[in-house]
Amino acid sequence: MTPIARRMFELLEPICLVTYFADECNEEMAALGHRTYWDGYFASRAAPLGRVPAQVVHAAFYSFADGEAARHIPSAWETIPPEASVAARERGSAASVRRILGDELADSPGLVRAADLTTKAATSAPTAGRVMYAGMRTLPVPSDPVARLWHSATMLREHRGDGHVAALVGARIGGTEAHVLSALEMGIHPPESFGRIHHLPKERLAAVMDGLRERGLVGIEGRFTDAGRETKQRIEALTDELAAPPYDALSAAELDELIGELKPIAATLVAAGSQ
């Protein structure tokens, strides 16, 4: 049986992805004055943490290569307050969800119920050890159902992400190494061509691959070894386990209801590629 946290991830992730794939959020960021996509990304996602230095953002985000956060933080906040960036992210993301779903589904009682139940779960988990999730918990929950659904889904995404980082650290898998393992899991070969890391210096990528080979996680041809595949599976299983606590706030009946209400929402967003 699929763990409940994995099933919820499958249903909620398409809602969250509009922030990164759809146009509205980028347009909101550009209207504020952010020069690039990544300026807006770092400025808005890190904003709930407060005006922390780049080193803290790098630690919390984890998977970005050394120096990537510092190219945007704190410069992205110098003329645009963090509060403005996070508000623009919410406006743009909610507008994307509404456009893709259409008024009939966006204004349906089912979406309102999904937003309510997702929010109940998202505001119920302990924050200890969950830096990004704790930051999101400090933000007000929107009153508009579509915005509330996106906001709460994103809170749960950050909660899951915090647990994923813990699982990676425990397995001694670095951020760039994590992208290599994800690329291999998705069938991308060579894994260095994966969009999240292909821009990194070739010397850096070669060193990462050499390190994974030395640990027996990747073979000479740059593909999973049995040990590498087992390590990736163990990380994902632990991530699911650590992502489960928010859903303890919902009864079995409420979970079934939430899954039922989210199915048409997720299906519509997946069909559109969340964009």
Side-chain angles (χ1 to χ4, degrees):
M1 294 179 62
T2 302
I4 187 61
R6 173 66 58 167
R7 183 64 178 125
M8 293 307 301
F9 171 73
E10 295 168 349
L11 291 169
L12 293 173
E13 184 72 351
I15 299 169
C16 303
L17 289 180
V18 301
T19 305
Y20 313 109
F21 294 165
D23 292 334
E24 287 87 343
C25 190
N26 290 333
E27 291 167 355
E28 288 278 0
M29 293 299 170
L32 278 182
H34 288 300
R35 299 166 301 169
T36 68
Y37 170 90
W38 290 111
D39 275 351
Y41 172 89
F42 277 93
S44 61
R45 187 179 171 213
L49 301 178
R51 291 178 181 267
V52 297
Q55 295 94 322
V56 175
V57 175
H58 175 71
F61 285 18
Y62 191 73
S63 61
F64 286 90
D66 291 344
E68 289 193 313
R71 285 199 285 272
H72 308 279
I73 299 297
S75 61
W77 292 333
E78 287 174 354
T79 58
I80 304 167
E83 298 80 6
S85 293
V86 77
R89 180 175 75 150
E90 179 186 298
R91 285 196 306 272
S93 299
S96 296
V97 173
R98 175 170 285 280
R99 170 180 56 79
I100 296 168
L101 295 183
D103 289 342
E104 183 176 353
L105 185 52
D107 292 329
S108 68
L111 184 137
V112 175
R113 184 60 174 157
D116 290 344
L117 291 172
T118 302
T119 301
K120 182 178 179 180
T123 56
S124 299
T127 58
R130 309 275 184 167
V131 174
M132 292 301 299
Y133 172 65
M136 283 290 296
R137 284 282 297 271
T138 68
L139 302 179
V141 176
S143 57
D144 172 72
V146 173
R148 185 164 70 252
L149 178 61
W150 171 84
H151 177 87
S152 297
T154 300
M155 271 199 284
L156 290 166
R157 188 177 200 259
E158 295 291 18
H159 180 279
R160 182 183 181 87
D162 287 332
H164 188 56
V165 169
L168 290 168
V169 171
R172 297 185 299 115
I173 299 295
T176 304
E177 292 175 329
H179 284 314
V180 170
L181 299 187
S182 292
L184 290 174
E185 185 181 46
M186 291 184 285
I188 297 172
H189 193 268
E192 300 96 315
S193 65
F194 183 34
R196 290 295 303 274
I197 58 174
H198 73 85
H199 62 286
L200 298 179
K202 287 183 171 54
E203 298 80 7
R204 167 63 180 152
L205 290 173
V208 168
M209 293 299 294
D210 286 344
L212 290 170
R213 288 190 184 97
E214 289 172 7
R215 294 174 60 186
L217 303 179
V218 171
I220 191 169
E221 296 182 352
R223 300 183 186 276
F224 267 139
T225 61
D226 289 344
R229 185 174 292 103
E230 189 276 333
T231 295
K232 176 61 173 173
Q233 291 170 347
R234 187 171 68 250
I235 289 168
E236 293 302 317
L238 180 54
T239 298
D240 286 338
E241 181 181 343
L242 294 174
Y247 305 106
D248 292 341
L250 303 180
S251 67
E254 287 175 325
L255 276 171
D256 287 344
E257 184 181 7
L258 177 56
I259 289 170
E261 300 295 1
L262 284 174
K263 281 181 179 178
I265 295 170
T268 303
L269 288 162
V270 168
S274 292
Q275 61 184 335

